[in-house]
Amino acid sequence: MADARGSYEFVGVPDGFQRLWTPHRMAYISGEAKPVDETEGACPFCAAPGASDSEGLIVKRGQLCFVVMNLFPYNSGHVLVCPYRHIPRFTQATLEERAEIAQLTVEAMRTLEKVGGAQGFNIGMNQGEVAGAGIAAHLHQHIVPRYLGDANFLPIIGQTKAVPRLIEEQRLMLQQAWE
């Protein structure tokens, strides 16, 4: 990019800044990875259980719900608890589904503490597009493990989150340690 004078003389000159390039995040930022059609047949949360654990990023399968790695994690170990049924709201979940969501959440927290040393958690559901749900048509609860010192300037200044473990590596660690 040219400076105010139209000069490119500083392009490529080291400036003392470290750069963390995350071009894979552009798929999320631009919406490329978001399904246009969130109907039951096209929904990624409906498709995941039909794939192998590795292909579907599945950590744990329950009777009514499952735990899946977040494809665009806020932190290492960020998982989602989803019912198998394609429903958009917690109010539409059965008593049994709500109980299993709660049980899988507890199990995920314990596993993340054991495997990754999580020191805290952000847990929540964004229901409806207006509430920030990326995939509003299929209920899912976020479990984001937190670690002392994990929040720094990158998300605020650079809209970038450093996630030190690959998703498949983290999925395998969690799956193998799940009680």
Side-chain angles (χ1 to χ4, degrees):
M1 186 168 177
D3 64 16
R5 298 167 302 187
S7 171
Y8 288 88
E9 67 183 278
F10 295 109
V11 173
V13 175
D15 58 8
F17 287 100
Q18 294 290 323
R19 303 244 175 359
L20 177 62
W21 301 105
T22 57
H24 64 280
R25 296 273 310 152
M26 285 310 299
Y28 178 75
I29 293 167
S30 67
E32 290 173 40
K34 184 178 177 183
V36 176
D37 181 2
E38 292 183 23
T39 60
E40 191 168 345
C43 172
F45 297 143
C46 290
S52 69
D53 287 356
S54 180
E55 289 176 6
L57 299 177
I58 298 204
V59 176
K60 176 72 175 176
R61 294 174 189 261
Q63 289 189 332
L64 302 170
C65 303
F66 63 98
V67 180
V68 63
M69 299 301 298
N70 188 323
L71 188 57
F72 299 102
Y74 295 126
N75 240 350
S76 287
H78 182 171
V79 296
L80 307 168
V81 180
C82 306
Y84 291 111
R85 281 193 322 128
H86 186 79
I87 54 172
R89 297 272 198 264
F90 193 60
T91 54
Q92 294 171 302
T94 66
L95 180 61
E96 294 80 11
E97 286 168 327
R98 292 193 307 266
E100 191 164 274
I101 289 170
Q103 182 59 39
L104 288 172
T105 298
V106 168
E107 292 175 14
M109 291 172 65
R110 288 182 178 148
T111 303
L112 287 160
E113 288 170 336
K114 180 169 60 174
V115 170
Q119 299 162 309
F121 296 91
N122 292 118
I123 297 172
M125 298 180 188
N126 301 327
Q127 297 181 42
E129 190 172 350
V130 70
I135 298 175
H138 198 126
L139 177 67
H140 56 283
Q141 176 163 269
H142 293 259
I143 304 169
V144 182
R146 301 303 305 268
Y147 311 94
L148 188 61
D150 69 1
N152 58 33
F153 67 92
L154 281 173
I156 298 164
I157 304 297
Q159 292 78 46
T160 301
K161 180 66 182 171
V163 181
R165 281 207 175 96
L166 296 174
I167 290 175
E168 178 60 9
E169 176 187 3
Q170 185 74 63
R171 187 196 69 77
L172 276 172
M173 290 173 64
L174 293 174
Q175 188 177 54
Q176 291 168 358
W178 202 282
E179 294 178 22

